[in-house]
Amino acid sequence: MVASRVRWVTCFGPRARWQSPALLTSQSVIARLNAETRTALSDAALRERIVSLGLEPISSTPQELATFGRSELEKWMRLIRAIGIEPE
């Protein structure tokens, strides 16, 4: 079995089902954060610094992040169930 290690960093805002819709992060704020992040990641010096830390700078859309997050959750939940990890 080949082990893989993936590190990722992202920005999340409030989004809980039990919260009032007034407390949720608006789509315009999400779009602005995404645009500003993409702009920052297009800076050569920042990209160089990120790479020097052993990371690969990649930007995505909020929808791509949601899809990735769901797939990661499903992957790790399968592993947790398969090896029988229980909360303490």
Side-chain angles (χ1 to χ4, degrees):
M1 174 196 257
V2 176
S4 68
R5 183 171 54 174
V6 175
R7 290 181 270 174
W8 52 280
V9 178
T10 190
C11 178
F12 289 103
R15 179 74 174 124
R17 294 175 212 258
W18 62 87
Q19 291 178 320
S20 159
L23 298 175
L24 303 181
T25 306
S26 72
Q27 290 301 310
S28 63
V29 169
I30 292 169
R32 173 79 187 271
L33 285 170
N34 185 255
E36 295 295 339
T37 300
R38 286 175 176 269
T39 298
L41 288 175
S42 70
D43 179 75
L46 178 61
R47 291 183 71 81
E48 235 177 80
R49 175 70 175 132
I50 292 170
V51 169
S52 77
L53 297 171
L55 303 171
E56 179 183 0
I58 299 172
S59 60
S60 66
T61 66
Q63 296 78 18
E64 290 167 334
L65 174 61
T67 299
F68 175 74
R70 279 191 297 276
S71 72
E72 285 293 290
L73 180 62
E74 290 168 9
K75 174 180 74 177
W76 291 107
M77 289 304 295
R78 278 193 307 274
L79 177 64
I80 288 166
R81 288 184 189 115
I83 61 178
I85 295 175
E86 295 289 333
E88 294 181 0

